[in-house]
């Protein structure tokens, strides 16, 4: 960049503008049951059972990315007021006709967390001054992350100006550029095919149809992001 005081200028710039349409669902359920039982004058027993289930369902997420050509005009970053920096784009970046669709991305994620267990605590009054405590705890936990990434690239140019677009309000003193509308983002999925494309782990993406081609990143983005963790705990204690 060219630096002039607190102003930074970047020449020969290129800009991406992205729109997202996402639905995220969170669900948590839990159950805890317990009792404290006085067995006799010297012995007491506490028992507890617990179970929980958490689910993070992000199975309906779409994003579209429009990209400009390189423009021989600077983008400037003014840090005169560090609490309210100002980014100024070249005029070309405020015109939706200068952006073409670069990619359509779809993500499907289901993350679950199952936890179940029980504990038993015993108390024995050995004397007036001494109590013996001993107990046992069992716990099983499993976390699963199932992630699937599908991406498509258009076969022909689709200008942002040819689809529904909008502009977000200014951020402090920075004017934002055009972006596809919320509904338009999901509308692009209507151009995909109806067949299924299977990845090597058995998960699937919609076929690219006649207007798009698969990006080729599906395997390396999807498969490493799938994981399962299991935790089994058994513990006992004795104290006085």
């Amino acid at each position: 960049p060219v630096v002039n005081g607190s102003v930074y200028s970047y020449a020969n710039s290129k800009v991406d503008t992205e729109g997202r349409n996402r639905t995220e669902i969170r669900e948590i359920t839990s159950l805890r049951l317990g009792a404290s039982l006085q067995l006799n004058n010297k012995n007491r027993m506490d028992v507890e059972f617990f179970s929980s289930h958490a689910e993070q369902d992000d199975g309906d997420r779409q994003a579209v990315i429009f990209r400009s050509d390189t423009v021989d005009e600077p983008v400037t970053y003014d840090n005169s007021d560090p609490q309210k920096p100002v980014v100024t784009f070249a005029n070309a970046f405020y015109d939706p006709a200068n952006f073409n669709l670069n990619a359509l991305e779809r993500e499907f994620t289901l993350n679950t967390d199952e936890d179940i267990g029980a504990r038993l605590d015993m108390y024995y009054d050995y004397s007036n001054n001494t109590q013996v405590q001993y107990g046992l705890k069992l716990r099983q936990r499993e976390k699963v992350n199932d992630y699937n990434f599908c991406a498509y690239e258009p076969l022909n140019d689709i200008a942002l100006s040819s689809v529904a677009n909008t502009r977000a309000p200014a951020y402090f003193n920075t004017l934002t550029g055009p972006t596809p509308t919320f509904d338009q983002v999901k509308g692009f999925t209507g151009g995909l095919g109806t067949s299924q494309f299977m990845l090597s782990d058995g998960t699937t993406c919609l076929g690219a149809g006649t207007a798009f081609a698969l990006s080729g990143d599906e395997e390396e983005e999807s498969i490493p992001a799938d994981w399962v963790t299991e935790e089994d705990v058994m513990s006992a204690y004795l104290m006085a």
Side-chain angles (χ1 to χ4, degrees):
V2 177
V3 181
N4 183 10
S6 58
V7 179
Y8 301 78
S9 298
Y10 300 84
N12 300 320
S13 50
K14 178 186 293 185
V15 169
D16 283 2
T17 180
E18 181 175 345
R20 298 182 181 184
N21 183 310
R22 298 188 171 188
T23 301
E24 301 178 351
I25 301 173
R26 305 290 184 266
E27 183 178 305
I28 299 175
T29 57
S30 63
L31 174 67
R32 189 176 294 268
L33 300 173
S36 182
L37 305 174
Q38 188 70 43
L39 303 179
N40 52 47
N41 291 336
K42 290 182 174 291
N43 292 277
R44 178 169 62 88
M45 178 177 70
D46 290 346
V47 61
E48 180 185 44
F49 300 92
F50 57 88
S51 175
S52 68
H53 172 84
E55 184 173 286
Q56 179 177 315
D57 186 353
D58 297 336
D60 187 18
R61 301 196 296 180
Q62 288 79 215
V64 292
I65 303 168
F66 283 81
R67 178 168 295 171
S68 73
D69 291 329
T70 300
V71 174
D72 190 21
E73 295 181 48
V75 171
T76 61
Y77 175 81
D78 187 344
N79 199 42
S80 301
D81 182 352
Q83 295 183 339
K84 296 181 180 180
V86 179
V87 179
T88 302
F89 295 95
N91 290 333
F93 296 137
Y94 294 99
D95 184 353
N98 292 325
F99 293 89
N100 284 314
L101 181 62
N102 183 67
L104 164 62
E105 297 178 348
R106 309 185 75 198
E107 298 176 62
F108 308 90
T109 307
L110 181 62
N111 184 286
T112 58
D113 187 345
E114 299 272 0
D115 193 6
I116 187 170
R119 64 179 297 164
L120 175 68
D121 298 297
M122 299 295 295
Y123 305 88
Y124 172 64
D125 293 329
Y126 182 76
S127 66
N128 290 335
N129 298 320
T130 304
Q131 184 184 65
V132 177
Q133 300 179 25
Y134 57 97
L136 178 69
K137 181 179 180 180
L138 303 173
R139 180 186 179 190
Q140 290 184 321
R141 185 179 185 186
E142 182 183 66
K143 298 182 69 176
V144 179
N145 189 71
D146 183 9
Y147 177 76
N148 197 18
F149 175 84
C150 307
Y152 309 86
E153 298 176 353
L155 297 177
N156 299 298
D157 289 343
I158 302 175
L160 180 55
S161 59
S162 68
V163 299
N165 64 84
T166 186
R167 183 177 296 180
Y171 182 74
F172 292 121
N173 294 320
T174 297
L175 297 178
T176 61
T179 186
T181 64
F182 181 80
D183 291 334
Q184 178 62 65
V185 172
K186 199 165 189 176
F188 277 109
T189 62
L192 300 177
T194 57
S195 61
Q196 298 286 328
F197 170 77
M198 184 174 292
L199 306 183
S200 60
D201 65 347
T203 56
T204 59
C205 293
L206 277 179
T210 59
F212 293 91
L214 288 164
S215 71
D217 297 328
E218 291 75 27
E219 295 273 353
E220 64 183 40
E221 292 286 344
S222 299
I223 295 176
D226 292 339
W227 50 263
V228 178
T229 62
E230 295 180 342
E231 179 182 343
D232 295 317
V233 176
M234 178 184 292
S235 61
Y237 73 95
L238 172 65
M239 57 186 293

